[in-house]
Structures are given as C-alpha cells and as structure tokens.
C-alpha cells in the first residue's frame, strides 16, 4: 500500500467538487422537504390522514417504504425522502469508487502512477478510504439534518446509521464490479443496475406482506430494517458492513492477480471490418447507445408508476387542500387533479430529457480528452461517408441528431408509461393522443436547453458544464418557477416556462417556433466557434 497517502490527497483534489456535492445532496433535500411539507400537514389530523391514505398505497410503499411514524413533520419528511434518497446515495458512492478505481485504469493514468513507488493496492485503498469517508460524512450530516427538523436525537442517530450502512454496501459492490469490467462507464452502469434492482426487491417486500422476506435479500432492505422510527436496531447495518468488508477484500485479491487495465471479463475485439459504412451517426449511436438507454427506460418506469396512481390520486390527496393546491399549481392551475399531475410529471420528465441530451455532449468531451475523436476523424472511410466523417462539425451535428432522438424517445416513452399505467388501473386520465401530443410538444423547449451545451462545447470542452447549469436553471424557472416564487421576467428566460406541458390544451405555436429558432441559432453559434478552435 505504499503511496496510499499521496493518492488519497490526489483523489481529494480531483473530487473537490463532485464529492462535496454528493455528500450535501441528501441533507439539503431533507431540510427542503421538511420546509415544503410543513404547510401541507399542519396538524395531527392531516398527518393521520396521510398515514391512513397515501402511506398505505402499494406504489408508495414500493417507492418510499412503510410510514412508521406520522406524529411529526420531521418523521414524515424522513419517510418522504428516505429510501429514494438512500438509493441516490448508493449510486453516488458507487460513482465515487468508479471514478477513482476503474476510470484512471481505463485512461492509463493508473499505469503512469504505478510506474513510480506505488504499491499494488494503493489506488484501490485510497479510493475506498475516500468513498468510505464520503459515506460517513453523508450519514452524519443526514442525522444532523434529521435532528434539525424535529426528529428526536436517538432516532436521528439511527437515520444517519441507515445512510451510512447503505453507502458502505454500495462501496463493497462497486469495488468488485470495477475489477470485473474494463470500461468505467460500463462499471458504473452495472453497479447502478445492481443497486436499483436491490431497491425494487426491497420495494416488493414492503408492498406485499407475504413477501416481506424479500427485504432480507437487498442491501437497501438491510439498511431499511435499522428502523429508526420503530425498533431502532443497528444489527442489520452489520450485514451492510460485512458486504463492504467482503467486497473490498475480494476486490484487493482480484486486483493483485490480474493485469493492470484488464478485468475478469475481457471485452470482445469486435469484427475486423465494419458491417456498414463508417459515419458520424453510426459511431455516435454505437458508442453512446448503451449509456443513453437508462434515461429512456427510467422515464418509462417512473411514469408507469405515476400512471398506476391516477385512479386513486383523489383519495391519496384527500382533504389536504395544501397538497391539492401544490399539484394544481405545478400543473398550471388545472382544475382536473389527474390532468395537473400528468402535466407536472411531463414537465419534470422534459427536464430529464434535456439532461439526457446534454449527456451526449459530455460524451463528445470525453472522446476529445481520451483521443477517440482524433482516431475517428483520421479513420479511412467509404467514399460515400468520407465528406461527412472527416468533419468535426459533422461529428457535432451527428451528436445533435442523436440527442434529438433520445430526448424525443424519453418524452414519448414517458407518455406511454402514463397511458399504460392509467389503463391498467382504469384511471380517469386523458387519452393517449392527448398525452402523446403534450409529450411531443415538450421536444422543442427541451432541445433549446440542450443547445446551450452544444454551443458551450463549440467554445471549448471545459465549458460543457454550462449545459448542466442550463438544465438546473430551466428546472427552477420552468416547472418549479411558481413554487419558488420566481419573478415573471426571469421565468420567461426558461424554455419550458414558454412552452409548458399542457395535456389536451394544444401546443402554443408562437412560443414553440421561437424556442425552436433559438435552439438552431444557439447550435449554429457553437458550430461557428468549433471551426475556430483546436479539437483538444
């Protein structure tokens, strides 16, 4: 483990933004949720109605788990945030491990570091120390946030233990996955799939009384059984700690016995010749397709769950005027509660579609930094594709085309999930053509947000972060603009405020044309800048 201290300091420097943000997400979300729920459930009667209504719904039990205590806003906020935020923490911890174990190996940085006086296990141990420290900090801050919103001190400690246990389990899973595959993106995807599967298995165990034993098959189920508002026992957390210890030990054993840069599963070398003419679009789809699929499948699954709630939304809201008013305001003031819910969900999914499109630009930046773009632009191609394939501008246009298709598919699949879910339960939702029209109507403003990332890439790869800033700003000023009380002139800058999701109301023509033209102009500015800079 020689050199572990040096590598840990290096990891702390490279993670100086990502790790603090990941650590602060859950405590901040818990505080914000408690503040938002306080006016919705101001008295014991409204909280009791929540416990007897929404908390008993199977879909809510899958997503959030059982509501153990409804006596205080703090307890309700922990339930509302708890397990879903716990899943987010596990993915963040897995990403932290992968960024510091597999990613440096995949790019050759670990080989460079290991050429110095650095031990075989030092890179792995430094990454584990960093991720473990992040998990501990997340648990402590989450416990402090729980105490700040009125949760009793002892209970708040066990809330922190829950999140710490889940984070440690995720670290144990991720370090093993990073030894199995060779690509960092694939490693993170596999870790996320394992953790999401654990979340779903735990949810089924919570929703079906006869299948409660399933929670013992899931690391998130182990963390849930710490039960801060019930039995308060730390014994299930020991199972997460054991998974962490076994995972780290197994990963260290594998790392010591394999070649640097390889994995237990070796990637297929592929065919010696291309099965079709090499083109920017074909290469973009083949290299980015697997990482974009989760955006689409996630949108469908999420909206399917929302669709399953459409037949019981009135009963779930009950007499809580604050909750009803919140949903209707987020949905544009619609008098139809189901319609307002669907409008709200489509508005949020449209932001996710913009994030998926921005992630395509992130792939372009990664290809530039790792030299893959130079290989593509120097590759011999067929005469038909030669004119397009050798042009950096054409490469960006191909990525823009892929981003457009992905954003549209995210929205269409979200609409399909809403329609299918509502049909399965016989809910009173709008018709399929109305939902499809509203979903497709969100494509132009979504692409206008993503255009900022493409324009930023044109000026330099380091400016791609502006695309993510645009996504967050559009979320706050668009779907959440009325909730946070943003002034009208500021909201008018957000594309999704100009073209909000309105099922059955028709797409506003003039704003749609304006944001479409704006998207084209912004991308054009990026292409102009791209032609005047070096690729790297």
């Amino acid at each position: 483990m020689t050199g572990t201290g040096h590598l840990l300091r290096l990891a702390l420097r490279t993670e100086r933004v990502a790790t603090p943000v990941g650590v602060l997400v859950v405590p901040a979300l818990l505080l914000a949720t408690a503040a938002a729920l306080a006016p919705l459930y101001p008295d014991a009667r409204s909280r009791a109605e929540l416990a007897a209504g929404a908390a008993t719904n199977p879909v809510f039990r899958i997503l959030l788990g059982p509501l153990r205590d409804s006596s205080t806003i703090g307890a309700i906020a922990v339930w509302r945030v708890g397990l879903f935020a716990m899943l987010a923490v596990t993915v963040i911890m897995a990403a932290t491990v992968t960024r510091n174990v597999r990613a440096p190996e995949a790019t050759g940085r670990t080989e460079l570091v290991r050429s110095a006086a650095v031990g075989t296990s030092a890179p792995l141990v430094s990454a584990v120390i960093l991720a473990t420290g992040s998990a501990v900090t997340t648990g402590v801050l989450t416990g402090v946030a729980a105490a700040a919103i009125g949760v009793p001190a002892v209970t708040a400690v066990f809330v922190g233990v829950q999140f710490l246990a889940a984070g440690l389990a995720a670290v144990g899973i991720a370090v093993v996955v990073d030894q199995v595959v060779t690509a960092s993106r694939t490693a993170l995807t596999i870790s996320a799939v394992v953790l999401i599967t654990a979340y779903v298995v735990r949810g089924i165990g919570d929703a079906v009384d006869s299948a409660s034993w399933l929670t013992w098959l899931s690391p998130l189920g182990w963390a849930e059984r710490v039960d801060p508002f019930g039995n308060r026992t730390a014994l299930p957390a020991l199972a997460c700690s054991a998974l962490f210890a076994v995972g780290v030990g197994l990963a260290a054993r594998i790392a010591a016995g394999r070649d640097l840069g390889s994995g237990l599963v070796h990637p297929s070398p592929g065919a010696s010749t291309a099965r079709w003419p090499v083109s920017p679009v074909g290469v973009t789809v083949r290299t980015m397709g697997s990482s974009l699929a989760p955006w689409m499948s996630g949108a469908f699954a999420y909206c399917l769950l929302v669709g399953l709630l459409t037949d019981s939304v009135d009963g779930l809201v009950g007499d809580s005027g604050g909750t009803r008013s919140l949903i209707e305001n987020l949905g544009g003031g619609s008098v139809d509660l189901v319609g307002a819910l669907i409008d709200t969900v489509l508005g949020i999914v449209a932001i996710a579609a913009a994030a998926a499109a921005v992630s395509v630009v992130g792939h372009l930046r990664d290809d530039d930094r790792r030299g893959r773009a130079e290989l593509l632009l120097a590759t011999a191609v067929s005469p038909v594709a030669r004119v397009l394939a050798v042009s950096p501008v054409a490469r960006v246009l191909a990525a823009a085309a892929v981003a457009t298709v992905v954003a549209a598919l995210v929205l269409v699949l979200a609409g399909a999930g809403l329609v299918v879910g509502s049909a399965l339960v016989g809910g009173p939702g709008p018709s399929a053509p109305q939902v499809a029209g509203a979903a497709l109507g969100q494509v132009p403003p979504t692409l206008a947000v993503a255009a900022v990332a493409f324009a930023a890439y044109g000026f330099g790869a380091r400016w791609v972060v502006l695309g993510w800033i645009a996504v967050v700003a559009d979320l706050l000023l668009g779907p959440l603009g009325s909730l946070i009380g943003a002034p009208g002139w500021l909201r008018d800058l957000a594309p999704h405020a100009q073209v909000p999701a309105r099922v059955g109301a028709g797409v506003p023509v003039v704003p749609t044309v304006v944001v479409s033209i704006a998207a084209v102009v912004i991308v054009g500015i990026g292409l102009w800048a791209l032609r005047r800079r070096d690729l790297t």
Side-chain angles (χ1 to χ4, degrees), residues 25-39 41 47 67 69-82 85 140-157 159-160 162-163 228-229:
V25 163
V26 173
L29 181 61
L30 186 56
L31 294 173
T33 301
L37 292 178
Y41 306 102
R47 293 192 287 270
L67 177 58
D69 180 10
S70 60
S71 60
T72 64
I73 287 296
I76 293 175
V78 171
W79 169 72
R80 186 68 66 88
V81 170
V140 171
L141 293 181
T142 302
V144 171
I149 60 176
V151 174
V154 175
T155 302
V157 170
V159 171
Q162 272 192 315
F163 281 86
F229 297 94

Side-chain angles (χ1 to χ4, degrees), residues 13 46 67 87 129 154 157-158 161 178 186 238 247 297 311 315 321 333 362 366 382 418 426 459 470 473 512 522:
R13 179 174 175 81
S46 61
L67 177 58
L87 173 64
I129 292 174
V154 175
V157 170
F158 279 91
V161 170
D178 286 347
T186 304
L238 295 179
S297 58
D311 70 325
D366 292 344
S382 68
L418 290 169
F459 286 91
T512 300
I522 293 172

Side-chain angles (χ1 to χ4, degrees), residues 102 105-106 175-183 187 251 254-255 257-267:
R102 177 49 65 178
E105 251 188 86
V175 290
V176 174
V177 172
D178 286 347
Q179 307 304 317
V180 174
V181 298
T182 57
I254 296 173
R258 66 173 175 84
D259 291 334
L260 189 63
S262 67
L264 294 184
V265 177
H266 298 282

Side-chain angles (χ1 to χ4, degrees), residues 228-515:
F229 297 94
N231 295 326
R232 289 203 297 265
T233 173
L235 290 178
L238 295 179
C240 294
S241 301
L243 178 59
F244 165 79
V246 171
V248 172
L250 180 60
R253 179 65 185 86
I254 296 173
R258 66 173 175 84
D259 291 334
L260 189 63
S262 67
L264 294 184
V265 177
H266 298 282
S268 172
S272 58
T273 58
R275 285 173 287 184
W276 51 74
V278 176
S279 69
V281 173
V283 172
T284 302
V285 172
R286 287 182 63 84
T287 56
M288 300 183 186
S290 59
S291 62
L292 297 175
W295 290 99
M296 295 178 279
S297 58
F300 176 80
Y302 170 69
C303 290
L304 178 64
L305 288 174
V306 173
L308 295 174
L309 294 173
T310 54
D311 70 325
S312 56
V313 63
D314 284 302
L316 294 176
V317 173
D319 297 329
S320 177
T323 304
R324 183 180 295 270
S325 176
L326 174 64
I327 295 176
E328 291 175 351
N329 286 336
L330 288 175
S334 173
V335 295
D336 178 9
L337 190 60
V338 174
L341 176 64
I342 292 178
D343 288 346
T344 301
V345 170
L346 283 179
I348 298 298
V349 171
I351 303 299
V358 171
S359 72
V360 174
V361 188
H363 287 288
L364 290 179
R365 177 191 58 192
D366 292 344
D367 287 346
D368 289 354
R369 290 177 173 176
R370 297 175 183 177
R372 290 195 294 262
E374 292 177 287
L375 290 176
L376 171 65
L377 298 177
T379 299
V381 296
S382 68
V384 176
R386 189 185 306 279
V387 175
L388 291 178
V390 297
S391 170
V393 171
R395 173 172 165 263
V396 173
L397 288 176
V402 172
T404 301
V405 173
V406 169
L409 286 176
V410 167
L411 289 163
V412 169
L413 289 173
L418 290 169
V419 172
V420 171
S422 180
L424 289 175
V425 297
S431 64
Q434 289 177 323
V435 175
L440 291 174
Q442 291 296 288
V443 173
T446 297
L447 297 180
V449 176
V452 175
F454 281 93
Y457 172 78
F459 286 91
R462 66 183 182 278
W463 298 111
V464 171
V465 68
L466 294 177
W468 294 108
I469 295 175
V471 171
V472 174
D474 187 62
L475 171 64
L476 295 176
L477 299 178
L480 302 183
S482 60
L483 183 63
I484 66 176
W489 65 267
L490 188 59
R491 293 194 63 196
D492 288 341
L493 300 177
H496 283 105
Q498 293 289 340
V499 188
R502 295 291 182 267
V503 176
V507 179
V509 177
V510 175
T512 300
V513 172
V514 170
V515 298

Side-chain angles (χ1 to χ4, degrees), residues 190-261:
I190 293 175
S191 297
V193 168
V194 171
L195 294 168
I196 292 172
T197 303
Y199 177 78
V200 172
V201 170
R202 187 276 323 155
I204 296 173
D206 283 336
V208 182
D209 292 335
S210 60
S212 60
W213 55 271
L214 286 174
T215 58
W216 287 108
L217 301 180
S218 165
L220 289 174
W222 303 341
E224 180 191 27
R225 285 185 175 270
V226 171
D227 198 7
F229 297 94
N231 295 326
R232 289 203 297 265
T233 173
L235 290 178
L238 295 179
C240 294
S241 301
L243 178 59
F244 165 79
V246 171
V248 172
L250 180 60
R253 179 65 185 86
I254 296 173
R258 66 173 175 84
D259 291 334
L260 189 63

Side-chain angles (χ1 to χ4, degrees), residues 75-119:
I76 293 175
V78 171
W79 169 72
R80 186 68 66 88
V81 170
L83 287 167
F84 194 77
M86 205 177 295
L87 173 64
V89 166
T90 60
V91 175
I92 291 171
M93 295 302 111
T96 301
V97 172
T98 300
R99 284 197 302 269
N100 292 278
V101 175
R102 177 49 65 178
E105 251 188 86
T107 56
R109 294 197 300 270
T110 300
E111 185 175 8
L112 179 63
V113 169
R114 287 279 304 279
S115 66
V118 174

